[in-house]
Amino acid sequence: MSKKSNAKRDAYAKKQEEQGKKIVSWIFGGLIVLAVIYLIWAFTMMA
């Protein structure tokens, strides 16, 4: 393999890793928001 193709592959892998981290953070953020909404709903049902 040439150095150019290795550099392209490394850049692509780095880009994919950054996108994956962003997606994971969005998923966890969404789960936290849903948990807060559920807590609010649960407390209003008890009141």
Side-chain angles (χ1 to χ4, degrees), residues 1-29:
M1 292 233 155
S2 67
K3 289 183 180 183
K4 189 174 184 180
S5 65
N6 278 341
K8 278 186 175 181
R9 182 175 292 156
D10 290 341
Y12 181 74
K14 184 178 178 184
K15 183 178 174 185
Q16 288 292 98
E17 183 180 356
E18 289 172 1
Q19 286 179 342
K21 286 180 181 179
K22 188 193 303 186
I23 290 172
V24 168
S25 65
W26 272 101
I27 290 171
F28 278 117

Side-chain angles (χ1 to χ4, degrees), residues 27 32-33:
I27 290 171
I32 290 170
V33 168

Side-chain angles (χ1 to χ4, degrees), residues 34-46:
L34 287 174
V36 169
I37 291 170
Y38 176 74
L39 284 174
I40 292 170
W41 176 79
F43 282 123
T44 56
M45 294 301 284
M46 286 183 190

